[in-house]
């Protein structure tokens, strides 16, 4: 919680990748919005194709990415990271791997992502301050 220097908006990482974002804090606890939550939306991109999109939680272990480009040239196995254009998260934080892709989805191409860090297997987390945070 806040007594330990944790604040809303901090990134929460598990083994290998981003798990979520600190949603609220009390003096001794923190509530995290997991990437799998239907209320979770973060900017992402595919490093291989430099295609930007938004990762949207859907309540399952495999959130979706809606890509901004009409033909992002995404392939199964492509890595998805936090966007280098993000004003909130540090750039290029590992998030997941594309496990399916539909270029003909409307209104935009859509991929299903397998998260690198599994929310259901969390033993520990690491908290990363906001990119432009001056508290640390």
């Amino acid at each position: 919680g806040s007594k330990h220097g944790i604040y809303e908006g901090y990134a929460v990482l598990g083994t290998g990748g981003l798990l979520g974002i600190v949603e609220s804090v009390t003096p001794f606890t923190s509530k995290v919005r997991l990437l799998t939550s239907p209320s979770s939306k973060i900017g992402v991109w595919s490093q291989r194709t430099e295609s930007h999109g938004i990762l949207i939680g859907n309540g399952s272990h495999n959130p979706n990415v809606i890509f901004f480009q009409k033909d992002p040239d995404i392939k199964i196995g492509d890595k998805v990271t936090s966007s280098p254009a993000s004003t909130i998260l540090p750039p290029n934080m590992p998030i997941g791997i594309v496990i399916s892709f539909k270029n003909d989805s409307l209104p935009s191409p859509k991929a299903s992502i397998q998260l690198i860090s599994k929310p259901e297997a969390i033993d520990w987390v690491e908290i990363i301050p906001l990119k432009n945070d001056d508290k640390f």
Side-chain angles (χ1 to χ4, degrees):
S2 60
K3 293 275 187 186
H4 295 101
I6 307 300
Y7 297 93
E8 290 179 17
Y10 281 13
V12 179
L13 287 92
T15 305
L18 185 67
L19 281 170
I21 308 248
V22 174
E23 184 173 64
S24 63
V25 295
T26 69
F28 296 102
T29 65
S30 300
K31 181 178 176 183
V32 175
R33 181 184 311 126
L34 296 174
L35 297 180
T36 55
S37 169
S39 64
S40 177
K41 294 176 179 65
I42 63 165
V44 297
W45 85 322
S46 165
Q47 290 181 316
R48 184 182 65 80
T49 63
E50 297 185 353
S51 300
H52 288 269
I54 187 161
L55 183 130
I56 302 171
N58 57 16
S60 80
H61 294 298
N62 302 110
N64 295 316
V65 173
I66 306 297
F67 288 96
F68 301 143
Q69 295 162 265
K70 185 175 181 173
D71 185 10
D73 188 32
I74 299 299
K75 298 186 183 332
I76 292 174
D78 280 352
K79 294 178 183 176
V80 175
T81 65
S82 58
S83 173
S86 176
T87 59
I88 299 170
L89 293 171
N92 303 314
M93 294 178 77
I95 293 176
I97 306 293
V98 174
I99 58 172
S100 71
F101 177 69
K102 291 185 178 185
N103 200 38
D104 58 353
S105 291
L106 295 176
S108 297
K110 179 169 86 170
S112 182
I113 307 300
Q114 178 179 337
L115 297 176
I116 293 170
S117 188
K118 308 276 189 246
E120 68 275 12
I122 299 170
D123 287 336
W124 58 268
V125 296
E126 179 180 1
I127 308 295
I128 305 293
L130 294 168
K131 193 160 89 170
N132 56 1
D133 189 7
D134 59 2
K135 293 180 180 80
F136 275 68

